[in-house]
Amino acid sequence: MLEKIKNIARTILSEKQADGVLGLIKGQWDIIQPHIFESPVEVDALVIEPKWLLAKMAMTVLRSSREGYRLAVVVRGCDERALTELVKRNQIEKERLVTLGIACTAEQAQACICDRPYPQKLDCGEAVAGVDTLSVESVKELLAGDGPERMEKWANILKRCIKCYGCRNSCPICVCVPCKLEDQVWVETGVIPAEVLSYHLIRALHLSDTCVACGACQEACPVNIPLMALQMSMREMLRETYGYEAGLDPDRKSPILYDLCKEPAAGQALPDWVNSLRKDDES
Amino acid sequence: MKILIFACKWCGLIGADGAGKKRIQLPTQFRVIPVECAALVEPDAVIRAFASGMTGVAVLGCHLGGCRFNHANHAAIKRLELLKTLLDATGIGGKRLLISFGTAHEDHQYAEVVKTFFDELEAMPSTAAWIS
Amino acid sequence: MSGIAVFLCRCFGEVKRVIDLDSLQKEAERHNDVVSSAVCESLCLADDIEKTASRIGESGADKVVIGGCSHLARGGAAVDALVERGIKRSAIGLVDLREACAWIHKDDPERATEKAWDLISMEIAGLHHRRESDDVTVSVCPEAMIVGAGPAGLSAARTLAQMGFKVHLVERGSNPGGMLNLISHVYPSDEKASEKMKTFVDEVDKNSLINFYPKAKINSITGFAGNFNVQVSSSGGEQRLRAGAVILASGARVWLPHGLYRYGKLTNVITQMELERQFIKGPREIKTAVFIQCVGARNHERPYCATMCCPSSLKNAVRIKEENPDARVFILHRDIMTPGSVLEAYYRNALAKGVQFIRFEETNPPEMLGDEHVESVEVFDSISRMKRTLECDLVVLSTPLIPNDDNVKLAHMLGLQVDRYGFFSEIYPLHPLETRMDGVFICGSARWPVSSDNAIVQGEGAAAKAAALLGSKAFSALSLSRVPGEKFGHAAVNAEKCTGCGNCVAVCPFAACRLQKMGRKSIGRVNKLRCKACGNCVSVCPNGTVQLPEQDYRAVAAMIKQAFGGDSAL
């Protein structure tokens, strides 16, 4: 698999499909780090493990490089979705981007609790089935219990927050400068523990329809807050109600932005009288 | 009990006004913020309200298809429904956020919506876990 | 000096009876931001307004909070007087102490007073963060674009040209006339359609102010009231037009009853339009004819009455009778819709001429008998409760008008709304020719199926509305609003903070937001004249870049903080 991806990368560079390939390199002292390969010879040192999200890096590279510079990126499923979201949000020009899709293994999918461990454009590897996120024991437990029980559980979890902003900084989709979470109006600054409710709910809600379930926020959290469980429930709601998943279709924007005639809801979460809008439901 | 009501000027606020004119007696523990359209209610503001210790937040707007800003309230209801999912996931309870469109235009309807919301919240467990 | 002045209105005791205004005033005096406060008898009285205004002058306050009556009163004369004295409208905060507090909490004066103070302190907190939207003044391009050269569009064009305005008349077909080209006579005047049209078409030919664009297609419409930019491709090639107002008179189209009454399979089952075409060619002798009404209308799919089908059938039934008085003509209907004295007389005339009317039920429609052509029609008469078999040599189906397919596309370009069927919606029933987008007017069957006479009248009406706009030299963005009362404001983007995500563009119901390239970055822009201040963009902006200055997010947050005595629970 590694050899195959190297060959594709070499072809891309030699055929000038892109000016550089962004991937991981095993460098001096066997340290693995992101690298832009610009000649086919260099590609020998390319590696694909471990999982390392490159979407935001690709955005930074494309922003600071010369006009017309084209970049190929070695992506996993989540990375590809993140890039699609960034293209949709006008952060990356689509024409300057090439992706080399690799699939994750079943073990990796399990570890990430990933429901789609493969890219849409798969160049290398076998796509394995995703995990049914909400039926995984650890997630189930977090979302279990009735109101007060769950509230106490989450209050205790979120109170661990030391407000390092790691979840925000590691997120491949968070691009706003300045960010609302730094605004005194929304989240009181200079206090620890953080104003947990506003910080975490605002963060989670802002990503509700753009979250690609890469899990970077959770991995970055030094106090192990299971942030993905919140995103999973909202992703599930969007999937059920609107049949929408972030990062799949580059031409479909979030259904949250459109009216109910253009992006009708399945009626799951919306009140029944929304149905009165449908043409065929005339009484 | 602390309830915050965002009332759209063209629906909920008219109902609130009518309830006053009819002298319908209501519990005192709610405050109304008038807005031009329910679409102006940022979900972040609703979160802010919960973080400031509100027991419940209500957003009252015009009925779907009756918004004077074309389809503005459609998008509003979608955003707020999504927020409900999040409130449910964290155990705060989506029921603490009342989204009621086109149901509070008349005085008695408004009074009913407010009273029912009070009763519902009364029956819910306290949010002390967050506040302590 | 600056600060806030607080005025509490006793409302002749209505508020005072429940709320302890004196203690509220004391509380206000203790507030850091308040420089002046007073309790007045009633801020409806000229005397009190005068006193209040002079007090503000003395204290040097630049912001005012009025605790008085309903928000719906918008502060009444007191606000007008303050604005006159140079206090900005956005610097006046209104607190409803009467309807929203005193009257609904009569039984609990103590807590009502507490609540009243909370409401006032919320307003004081919010007032700090409210600003007025920047206004712009734009000049008006005194030209109009009319979409569609049917009776409505032609009459609008004629009216505007007679007033001296230049008109761009854009037509999908190659000739003016619209649906009048397709019918022989118009009801209720029974004039020949071609003659009725001639007067208008002559005007288009003669009047140099009217530019006619045949075979035209609208590619894009940008801009705003007073300055629309339209990209049109017509037989004259691609063109860019400027117009101050747009009149949509694009009409509607006839629904074809495929699959109903074996239409298309039986040779002598035709639609009303096909009969009209036969009449255009010349008189035709028919021995027995059966008209069937409400074909594909007033049903589950199209629950509306298209209003023009009953009079059309009456017209053609009488015509057949006049050509051949011995002809047997039946109209099978569910209800005959002929409102008003003129159309009712039309109906009575048909009765007098011997046209027979048979009522059937929607659930039990007539049946066509025959193999290649209709030999007879079987119908269950719902009044006599009897089945009747009518021998005939012609069946005419009356079908409704349905909206044009490109209505939705036009609506998206212009930030309009279409109704659930696809016709253009008016702003309110009381403003039938105006739309939610300023400078865009609707008339004729584009807004709802109408007769040619009505279309002509509506065209004139829309032209008059457009002329009122085109006649003004310039206007300001804030003065533009079809919503009663003042326009609330308009959204503005902070270009430095904008990430260019495009959420606002997607969500705007008025197509007022767009992305503008700034170097390699895209930045959101709000068109002040298209914006109606619904606030959707504000709510979807991930980092608060778009704001409505009149209701800034900081104002809302400050109000929330003060909502219950200011003691944030956290």
Side-chain angles (χ1 to χ4, degrees), chain C residues 362-525:
Chain C
E362 186 188 0
T363 45
N364 197 3
E367 240 175 273
M368 309 283 111
L369 303 178
D371 290 332
E372 264 161 39
H373 60 274
V374 174
E375 276 148 21
S376 59
V377 176
E378 204 174 75
V379 57
F380 183 78
D381 184 337
S382 73
I383 294 170
S384 66
R385 313 300 297 168
M386 267 174 11
K387 193 174 258 184
R388 295 185 60 180
T389 308
L390 313 166
E391 272 173 30
C392 64
D393 48 23
L394 182 69
V395 170
V396 183
L397 305 178
S398 276
T399 59
L401 289 181
I402 56 167
N404 282 322
D405 294 333
D406 53 359
N407 281 8
V408 175
K409 205 178 120 208
L410 271 173
H412 273 297
M413 282 182 203
L414 283 164
L416 304 180
Q417 203 174 6
V418 292
D419 64 14
R420 68 170 73 188
Y421 314 112
F423 295 107
F424 291 110
S425 307
E426 69 234 353
I427 179 164
Y428 306 122
L430 289 176
H431 296 255
L433 305 174
E434 288 161 79
T435 64
R436 296 228 166 110
M437 184 49 65
D438 305 281
V440 181
F441 307 92
I442 46 174
C443 56
S445 295
R447 60 176 286 277
W448 200 244
V450 285
S451 68
S452 57
D453 273 24
N454 280 340
I456 288 165
V457 172
Q458 286 182 10
E460 285 166 1
K465 288 275 178 197
L469 172 73
L470 297 175
S472 57
K473 284 207 164 51
F475 55 82
S476 77
L478 283 175
S479 72
L480 250 194
S481 180
R482 302 259 59 85
V483 178
E486 73 270 51
K487 182 165 160 179
F488 176 62
H490 37 240
V493 180
N494 179 342
E496 268 171 48
K497 279 163 76 182
C498 182
T499 56
C501 70
N503 278 0
C504 51
V505 181
V507 84
C508 182
F510 293 97
C513 300
R514 73 196 151 87
L515 285 177
Q516 194 181 38
K517 268 261 182 257
M518 295 263 275
R520 281 165 92 166
K521 212 175 144 192
S522 293
I523 280 173
R525 285 262 175 254

Side-chain angles (χ1 to χ4, degrees), chain A residues 88 209-210 238 244 252-258 263, chain C residues 503 506:
Chain A
K88 266 158 76 177
D209 54 347
T210 40
L238 288 172
Y244 176 79
R252 187 176 175 201
K253 282 206 141 200
S254 162
I256 297 300
L257 300 172
Y258 296 98
E263 283 277 3
Chain C
N503 278 0

